[in-house]
Amino acid sequence: MPRSGALADHWLAETLRLREAHWGPLDDAHAVRQARLAGPAFQDRVLARARSLGERNGLPATLQGWRRAAAATLAAAAAFAVLAGAGAATAALGDGARPVNILWALGALLGLHALTMLLWLGSFLVGGGEGSWLGQAWLWATRRLARGPDAALAPQALSTLLARHGALRWLLGAVTHAWWLLALTAALLALLVVLSTRRYGFAWETTLLDPDTFVRLARAVGWLPARLGFALPDEAMVRASDGLQALPPGARAAWSGWLIGALAVYGIAPRLLAAAWCAARAAAALRGLRIDPSLPGYAGLQERLCPSVEPLGADAPDGPDAAPRLGRPAGSAGADAVLAGIELPADQPWPPLPLPAGVDCPAVLDTREQRQALLDALSRRPPARLLLACDAGQTPDRGTLALVAALAGLAGDTRIWLLRPAAGPDRTPTWRERLAAAGLAAPAFSAAQDAARWLEHGDA
Amino acid sequence: MPESADVLKVAVAGHTNTGKTSLMRTLTRDPAFGKVADSPGTTRRVEGSRLLAQGRPVLELFDTPGMEDGIALLEFLERLPRPGERLDGPARVQRFLEGPEAHGRFEQEARVLRKLLDCDAALYVIDARDPVLGKHRDELAILAGCARPLLPVLNFVGRPPHRADAWREALGRLGLHVQVEFDTVAPALDGEQQLYSRLATLLDRHRPALAALMADLDRQRRERREAAAGLVADMLVDVAALRLPVRGGEDEQAALAGVRERVRAREQQCVEALLALYRFRPGDYAADPLPLDGTRWGMDLFHPQALKDMGIGLGKGMVAGAMAGATLDAFTAGLSLGAATLIGAAAGGLWQGADRLGQRVLGRLRGWRELTVDDPVLRLLALRQQALARALERRGHAARDPLRLAPPSDEAWRSGPLPEALAEARSQPSWSSLSGRLADSPRREAVVRSLAAALLDAPAPADGG
């Protein structure tokens, strides 16, 4: 027996998924919050969300109503099966005024059943179908009859859900076989009652065929039931039952047993086996119900129901943007000019321009010691003009700007020369902005000749 | 379940403007995390995110402000021990954090160090385009003073020129031999796996947690792929199945415009679903709408040039400009398409077939015709959305460049026969959500599934980066 609770949950979730896929998402903030309290697995949370959202939208009531309607339909079908079975049995035997035509009775009892059974078996050979047409017709009819969009979604969701798990064919098959089982059992009971309470003669009739055919036929049909203890008319009895001779006393009972045996063995037994098999397969398939996260409606839910990332927040508000500020330029400036490079890459040729006479050019500043050396040198002998060459490809950070500020405080006038990188990012605008913020009013040079001219002659 | 105190904590540190916040965005798939700009000091606080695997926290990542004043700070730290006193690295950092300069000149650096002392390890993010400088060495010396394992992450290695070799050598001289390349804008498909597995070599105790995280990332990636294929397949079935009846006397051009509008809206819906799936929310780009490469992306679906760009042969409808992309034909309700139809009708239920036969006869009698979308448009949709899904898969959540769609190398979709699933969808007008009469059936779902499987099997374009 499948866990009906699990099936109901999955059905509800599938109905909701289809509903959201067709008519757009529902407002589920509350439902998602609730669902996150359910188990850690995505499936638990999807089902919890569906329960919570579904209740708000009255879906469980719709599904319940549909389930009731389906049960009522099935009950009606069962009642019809009983009537049809009993009716077929009594009609097959007639009112007893005439002898029962054996073949016609057999055909009336088993013909339609055998045909549909063969069709059902044949559907396995064709493959690809979703099971019995009877079941499909039932769903199709429900869709046509359903009032309101949600009511139509319920059976649709059920059939997609079942088909996805390979349960639809087996479930519809079980229903169909159970219906036939009921009908044939009713026929058997009716047969027993009528045969017990009325006198029937049995006869075969033919215009075309040979009596031997009937002998062989009766034996072939009766062989399997006879193994199970049902009566089998012997050859003389069959030959005598041509409707023209008076039947021997045991013949009526033998023919009744033969007919009952055929109905039980070729009618009830296969349907019972098929129904049990289908039910077992359906139950097995339903035990494997699961939520498939790759379905269109669920793909977007994954991250909301089972977030892979949670924010942890910040430690404190943003710190101050402590940009260094230039001090006052040195007062007692000498006459010479100095060109210094700050944190230039190793592949940058140095010095980058032919130095004018009288211009001092220390090594490129990189380490703390190099910085200290230049700071010491400048404080001993402040130059009139200090040109600092910087790499515009790098980011002007606070440490570099602090160095620029410290150096500028030791020279009469300080200018920056931004060397543009051959490749990679060019951050000249950021440099200009930061330098201006630090209080270096004069614009930085970008062209080598401008820088060289300033170094040699100053602003003049 | 590990206690919160036991979860692996990793700080993301580095020089200013090297892509720390970008790395956070990419690792957390959260394009809204923090602030990203090409300027120094963009991040001025420590902000964290917790990564979960199967609902359990496994890793806490902390974005920190950039180090900007390493040389001065190291000098300051070295002056901290009193004469005759010896302090080890963490003790020295601790004394600095208790002193006044931790709230003054070195406020940003103090926040980094405080977080680092609280963490199990740090990722040291490097802009591999920068030269290796003394300030970087001093920074690394300060961070090493916290006595936490450091994993250098070389960022911006995707596009030359960069100085990754110089960095590797310099890091090796500092004893940092385990390094990883990770481009935050265009990460390699296995970039995260590489990063976490290198981290695991430094953190033996947390190896199981990192393994669980990697397994979960792998699962997520696979599921996202399958879901993306499902979304594209669903859209293709919707469009292929669309059969819009044009009643006698109705304006064909108006009906055609309606069809085009619906198909465009459906493509847009698919784009939005894919963006949401890969966590590129359109809302995150409110000020700066998700940049899609103009020339190829912005091209209208029904413009013949869009097909030419994708290398799709033009169908008959395409040449006739007015009816481009759609075919107006005798009304069939999907019942005139040969063997596929018959099988589809049988599988979908004889009743539906009979139902549609009735519609067809009725429609013919009334002189209706119907509009369908041409095959080249289906091809274009398939190629375009697949290309989008692939581009999103490879896009880092820190990327701000226009999304460029790789030209498809998929001959099967460009010129081969369309999958049988689409032929079957053509015969099932009720499968299209665009018609307003969608009736979901198990068969439709099976067809979408088989189509999605075909899309997943399609060859990926050459991985040129």
Side-chain angles (χ1 to χ4, degrees):
Chain A
M1 192 64 201
R3 294 167 300 149
S4 62
L7 178 59
D9 276 359
H10 278 86
W11 185 12
L12 178 62
E14 180 67 11
T15 312
L16 199 69
R17 186 184 77 82
L18 289 183
R19 192 185 148 131
E20 286 192 291
H22 292 192
W23 297 305
L26 296 163
D27 171 29
D28 61 352
H30 177 67
V32 165
R33 220 170 301 124
Q34 291 228 306
R36 285 203 202 172
L37 301 177
F42 178 60
Q43 165 157 329
D44 300 333
R45 296 187 175 185
V46 167
L47 294 179
R49 172 182 178 272
R51 267 196 300 276
S52 161
L53 258 188
E55 249 154 56
R56 218 187 57 205
N57 291 282
L59 276 185
T62 312
L63 296 193
Q64 189 58 43
W66 194 87
R67 214 175 291 146
R68 265 200 300 273
T73 324
L74 281 181
F80 176 68
V82 171
L83 289 180
T90 47
L93 293 184
D95 58 1
R98 300 189 60 228
V100 176
N101 185 321
I102 293 165
L103 282 189
W104 283 20
L106 196 64
L109 285 173
L110 293 178
L112 195 57
H113 145 75
L115 190 68
T116 53
M117 189 79 182
L118 285 177
L119 276 178
W120 181 73
L121 290 174
S123 74
F124 284 98
L125 296 179
V126 176
E130 283 101 33
S132 66
W133 287 343
L134 197 64
Q136 290 289 330
W138 173 48
L139 290 175
W140 178 83
T142 323
R143 206 169 295 160
R144 286 282 145 135
L145 292 175
R147 300 250 168 86
D150 282 354
L153 274 185
Q156 220 175 80
L158 185 62
S159 63
T160 28
L161 177 70
L162 294 177
R164 191 180 308 137
H165 293 88
L168 184 62
R169 138 173 256 153
W170 303 114
L171 205 68
L172 291 180
V175 169
T176 317
H177 292 310
W179 189 90
W180 274 106
L181 185 62
L182 200 61
L184 291 170
T185 311
L188 181 71
L189 290 176
L191 210 58
L192 283 174
V193 169
V194 175
L195 285 174
S196 310
T197 54
R198 264 188 186 162
R199 178 181 299 124
Y200 285 102
F202 291 92
W204 46 265
E205 293 172 27
T206 183
T207 316
L208 203 62
L209 295 177
D210 184 53
D212 286 342
T213 316
F214 286 95
V215 173
R216 279 198 300 275
L217 192 74
R219 187 175 298 154
V221 170
W223 180 82
L224 188 59
R227 299 278 89 76
L228 300 171
F230 289 98
L232 175 64
D234 58 35
E235 191 182 331
M237 229 182 258
V238 177
R239 287 191 189 282
S241 307
D242 57 1
L244 305 172
Q245 312 167 34
L247 277 182
R252 288 172 197 269
W255 277 119
S256 317
W258 180 86
L259 199 58
I260 289 168
L263 180 60
V265 171
Y266 300 115
I268 292 174
R271 286 292 177 181
L272 185 64
L273 288 178
W277 186 44
C278 284
R281 292 289 303 260
L286 287 181
R287 269 196 295 278
L289 280 183
R290 59 177 205 95
I291 294 286
D292 180 354
S294 72
L295 287 170
Y298 292 147
L301 269 183
Q302 180 101 40
E303 202 46 50
R304 298 182 50 224
L305 287 178
C306 292
S308 56
V309 176
E310 281 175 358
L312 288 171
D315 64 336
D318 279 0
D321 187 8
R325 297 280 308 167
L326 244 59
R328 274 160 29 90
S332 60
D336 45 358
V338 172
L339 166 65
I342 295 183
E343 292 168 348
L344 297 180
D347 47 20
Q348 167 75 43
W350 186 258
L353 44 81
L355 285 179
V359 172
D360 194 10
C361 178
V364 175
L365 305 190
D366 183 9
T367 63
R368 185 204 308 174
E369 291 71 24
Q370 289 162 340
R371 289 182 176 198
Q372 290 297 350
L374 184 66
L375 285 167
D376 289 347
L378 293 189
S379 50
R380 274 198 302 276
R381 207 161 159 262
R385 289 185 301 282
L386 174 63
L387 181 64
L388 298 173
C390 298
D391 179 8
Q394 295 177 39
T395 306
D397 59 43
R398 203 151 26 80
T400 308
L401 291 172
L403 175 64
V404 168
L407 291 171
L410 298 174
D413 195 4
T414 306
R415 299 295 282 271
I416 308 293
W417 174 23
L418 294 175
L419 298 171
R420 285 186 198 235
D426 180 10
R427 300 196 170 99
T428 307
T430 316
W431 272 96
R432 289 189 192 281
E433 178 199 319
R434 292 277 150 165
L435 289 170
L440 204 73
F445 298 116
S446 281
Q449 62 269 32
D450 296 345
R453 195 179 313 121
W454 182 82
L455 200 57
E456 201 170 351
H457 308 292
D459 284 319
Chain B
M1 175 153 178
E3 290 301 310
S4 171
D6 202 37
V7 175
L8 171 59
K9 291 180 181 174
V10 175
V12 178
H15 195 73
T16 189
N17 201 25
T18 50
K20 291 176 292 301
T21 306
S22 296
L23 180 66
M24 287 292 291
R25 283 188 176 183
T26 303
L27 291 181
T28 58
R29 300 183 188 288
D30 182 358
F33 184 91
K35 273 184 289 185
V36 168
D38 184 12
S39 74
T42 313
T43 301
R44 293 213 289 275
R45 58 165 82 180
V46 175
E47 196 172 347
S49 262
R50 180 184 291 142
L51 302 190
L52 302 99
Q54 309 277 16
R56 295 172 200 284
V58 286
L59 174 63
E60 289 180 0
L61 285 171
F62 295 94
D63 188 23
T64 64
M67 309 275 283
E68 294 197 50
D69 212 354
I71 291 184
L73 178 58
L74 185 62
E75 192 182 352
F76 181 75
L77 284 175
E78 284 172 357
R79 284 205 308 267
L80 278 176
R82 298 179 192 103
E85 187 186 27
R86 274 178 72 167
L87 288 176
D88 67 357
R92 204 169 64 177
V93 171
Q94 199 59 50
R95 182 172 293 175
F96 156 67
L97 290 177
E98 285 158 7
E101 286 296 343
H103 301 285
R105 176 175 179 188
F106 302 115
E107 200 262 350
Q108 303 281 311
E109 283 80 2
R111 286 198 188 196
V112 182
L113 296 178
R114 200 173 287 126
K115 186 35 91 182
L116 186 50
L117 284 179
D118 182 45
C119 284
D120 300 290
L123 303 175
Y124 182 77
V125 183
I126 293 164
D127 184 342
R129 300 169 301 187
D130 283 344
V132 188
L133 295 171
K135 58 185 177 188
H136 297 122
R137 293 196 185 91
D138 284 5
E139 256 166 48
L140 281 163
I142 296 168
L143 294 175
C146 292
R148 297 287 182 276
L150 282 182
L151 176 64
V153 179
L154 292 167
N155 192 7
F156 299 107
V157 284
R159 273 170 293 178
H162 54 72
R163 296 181 167 98
D165 289 332
W167 273 103
R168 266 187 226 107
E169 201 212 321
L171 291 167
R173 292 177 80 103
L174 290 167
L176 297 168
H177 297 286
V178 182
Q179 308 146 7
V180 66
E181 291 186 359
F182 188 91
D183 196 298
T184 54
V185 171
L189 278 181
D190 62 343
E192 280 166 285
Q193 308 277 349
Q194 279 190 25
L195 193 149
Y196 291 130
S197 63
R198 300 279 160 86
L199 196 58
T201 62
L202 299 178
L203 295 160
D204 206 42
R205 192 164 69 84
H206 295 281
R207 199 183 282 265
L210 286 169
L213 179 62
M214 284 189 275
D216 198 58
L217 286 173
D218 202 42
R219 177 189 62 81
Q220 285 180 28
R221 197 164 80 91
R222 215 176 39 245
E223 283 183 1
R224 271 196 297 272
R225 271 199 150 165
E226 287 167 5
L231 288 171
V232 176
D234 197 49
M235 173 196 67
L236 289 176
V237 166
D238 266 348
V239 174
L242 179 63
R243 245 161 223 289
L244 201 69
V246 181
R247 292 168 178 81
E250 250 180 350
D251 184 6
E252 290 163 10
Q253 287 302 324
L256 180 69
V259 164
R260 286 181 178 169
E261 206 40 59
R262 285 180 207 200
V263 174
R264 279 185 202 124
R266 185 66 184 83
E267 190 192 19
Q268 185 60 30
Q269 192 189 331
C270 185
V271 168
E272 277 162 22
L274 283 175
L275 286 177
L277 179 66
Y278 282 97
R279 300 200 68 194
F280 292 97
R281 288 165 292 185
D284 293 332
Y285 297 84
D288 183 21
L290 182 73
L292 292 167
D293 190 19
T295 53
R296 186 162 274 123
W297 189 261
M299 187 70 78
D300 184 81
L301 187 57
F302 290 91
H303 197 290
Q305 190 59 40
L307 295 165
K308 278 187 190 155
D309 278 354
M310 283 282 182
I312 301 167
L314 299 184
K316 59 179 163 57
M318 287 295 159
V319 187
M323 291 302 290
T327 301
L328 186 67
D329 232 330
F331 189 84
T332 63
L335 265 186
S336 67
L337 293 158
T341 317
L342 284 179
I343 294 165
L350 208 60
W351 300 93
Q352 283 185 33
D355 189 28
R356 292 218 312 277
L357 188 63
Q359 285 179 24
R360 175 183 172 164
V361 172
L362 212 63
R364 279 277 170 92
L365 286 176
R366 289 174 182 166
W368 291 4
R369 287 176 299 165
E370 66 188 359
L371 271 170
T372 48
V373 177
D374 282 346
D375 279 355
V377 172
L378 285 180
R379 292 180 196 277
L380 178 59
L381 279 171
L383 287 169
R384 222 147 80 158
Q385 296 301 315
Q386 270 178 293
L388 175 64
R390 289 214 181 94
L392 290 177
E393 191 179 12
R394 279 147 208 268
R395 184 176 170 87
H397 286 72
R400 300 193 299 160
D401 295 347
L403 185 60
R404 210 166 288 276
L405 296 187
S409 62
D410 186 351
E411 278 308 315
W413 273 98
R414 199 183 303 164
S415 52
L418 287 176
E420 273 175 38
L422 282 182
E424 193 178 329
R426 283 238 187 254
S427 70
Q428 299 283 353
S430 65
W431 284 3
S432 178
S433 71
L434 305 179
S435 64
R437 292 173 289 138
L438 172 64
D440 233 323
S441 75
R443 185 65 199 161
R444 180 186 192 276
E445 198 176 300
V447 163
V448 169
R449 259 170 209 283
S450 77
L451 193 56
L455 288 169
L456 272 180
D457 287 342
D463 192 0

